[in-house]
Amino acid sequence: MAGFNSQYSAAGGLTIEMVLIDSNGDKIHASVKKELVNQFEHQLEQGKTLTFTNFSLNHSVGSYRTTNHLYKISVLSTTRVRSCEALPVGLNGFTPVNFQEVLDGSLNPDFLIDVIGHVVEVSHVEMISVNGKETQKISLELRDLADVRLPMVLWGNFATDVTNAIQLRGEGRVVLVLRFGKIKVWKEDRSVSNAYNVSDVQLNPNMAEVEAFRAMLPGDELQLAIVESKPLTVTSGVSVKDDFFIHTPRKTIAEMIECRQSHNIS
């Protein structure tokens, strides 16, 4: 299980959302609807290796798809979850994208992405009013091994957590890892942001990918620049929460039933 969280929305109530990975490294999204959360929450935990049997498959659609799989799993009341032999060590589902492919529009913004980069610039925390509510925002610039620069905006607790972590960093280089980030498009400009209640952000995490990235960075002494907050250009002034709940495409019940396919897999 590569990713796991509980989500609450006014429309759907409390659900469990997961990204599952198999021994081949292929990933698929899985959901537990609110009526079944109590039945399954004690069996599900990020990092555990499990077998799922007797579930349904639906077409994967929308603007916040966590994997590129054509389908997603819906857990049923008759689904069975059991522990099994652990997957190979280091199989974490982390698949960082190429910065240039984000910037030139090669990647479909409907799909969430993983990012790894050296933080070369960060702004002070700024308080932004969105629909009458104050939320924190910071702007960052990351560079990759080819020195391509990627703009990033972090909102809410991520903004303050990253700022605090950078202040305590010491003199070493800061490598940021973003999992399940959202490509944001504003006119012809593209950036990356955290997605509401989905993304994970870490600085210098203990990962083999981070050690390999750090070892291949240019041997320059580029210092981290602390800059003033930047204008809301690529973010268009919409918080990640409002973007998720307001701008995500909706389907009617009839449309969902039409595309639903059920399969029993053991």
Side-chain angles (χ1 to χ4, degrees):
M1 188 179 298
F4 171 92
N5 66 40
S6 299
Q7 292 187 1
Y8 180 85
S9 70
L14 182 68
T15 66
I16 296 175
E17 306 298 329
M18 301 169 285
V19 176
L20 308 179
I21 186 170
D22 64 16
S23 57
N24 296 321
D26 296 320
K27 293 176 287 187
I28 189 171
H29 191 98
S31 298
V32 180
K33 59 185 180 180
K34 62 180 181 180
E35 294 85 359
L36 301 177
V37 167
N38 289 339
Q39 179 179 341
F40 289 99
E41 61 180 346
H42 66 284
Q43 302 179 65
L44 305 174
E45 180 183 336
Q46 184 167 327
K48 291 183 67 174
T49 304
L50 305 167
T51 60
F52 292 76
T53 57
N54 194 33
F55 49 82
S56 70
L57 289 178
N58 306 316
H59 285 286
S60 180
V61 297
S63 300
Y64 284 79
R65 281 175 266 181
T66 56
T67 79
N68 60 7
H69 203 290
L70 293 176
Y71 297 95
K72 60 182 179 180
I73 290 174
S74 292
V75 173
L76 309 172
S77 61
T78 53
T79 298
R80 295 294 174 262
V81 180
R82 297 182 178 86
S83 297
C84 64
E85 183 179 349
L87 293 177
V89 175
L91 191 64
N92 58 16
F94 180 60
T95 52
V97 297
N98 181 289
F99 283 12
Q100 190 58 49
E101 291 182 344
V102 176
L103 298 171
D104 65 20
S106 298
L107 299 179
N108 186 340
D110 286 345
F111 295 90
L112 302 182
I113 61 171
D114 294 343
V115 169
I116 182 172
H118 173 207
V119 181
V120 295
E121 184 177 290
V122 62
S123 72
H124 297 289
V125 175
E126 183 179 6
M127 297 301 296
I128 301 295
S129 179
V130 181
N131 293 335
K133 294 183 178 180
E134 295 288 314
T135 185
Q136 303 96 326
K137 164 189 167 286
I138 60 170
S139 302
L140 305 97
E141 184 175 86
L142 309 182
R143 73 164 172 172
D144 64 9
L145 298 177
D147 203 29
V148 176
R149 306 300 175 93
L150 178 67
M152 176 180 290
V153 175
L154 297 178
W155 297 86
N157 291 335
F158 285 127
T160 51
D161 290 347
V162 167
T163 297
N164 293 337
I166 286 177
Q167 291 175 346
L168 299 173
R169 72 189 186 284
E171 297 302 319
R173 292 176 170 181
V174 177
V175 176
L176 183 146
V177 169
L178 167 68
R179 304 200 67 178
F180 306 114
K182 176 70 172 172
I183 298 175
K184 311 294 288 188
V185 182
W186 177 247
K187 296 182 179 179
E188 297 301 319
D189 296 321
R190 287 172 171 79
S191 66
V192 176
S193 178
N194 58 294
Y196 176 70
N197 210 16
V198 179
S199 301
D200 179 62
V201 179
Q202 297 183 65
L203 297 182
N204 296 333
N206 183 21
M207 297 172 58
E209 294 89 345
V210 171
E211 294 306 314
F213 179 88
R214 190 193 302 277
M216 296 176 67
L217 276 172
D220 53 39
E221 297 299 326
L222 184 63
Q223 298 296 313
L224 174 61
I226 310 297
V227 300
E228 294 300 319
S229 298
K230 297 183 179 181
L232 281 172
T233 52
V234 293
T235 60
S236 69
V238 179
S239 74
V240 289
K241 181 175 181 180
D242 287 345
D243 190 42
F244 180 81
F245 286 114
I246 296 173
H247 299 290
T248 301
R250 301 296 197 266
K251 276 187 172 293
T252 65
I253 293 175
E255 288 171 333
M256 294 180 66
I257 293 175
E258 183 179 350
C259 73
R260 180 177 179 125
Q261 297 185 10
S262 296
H263 301 263
N264 291 335
I265 299 178
S266 59

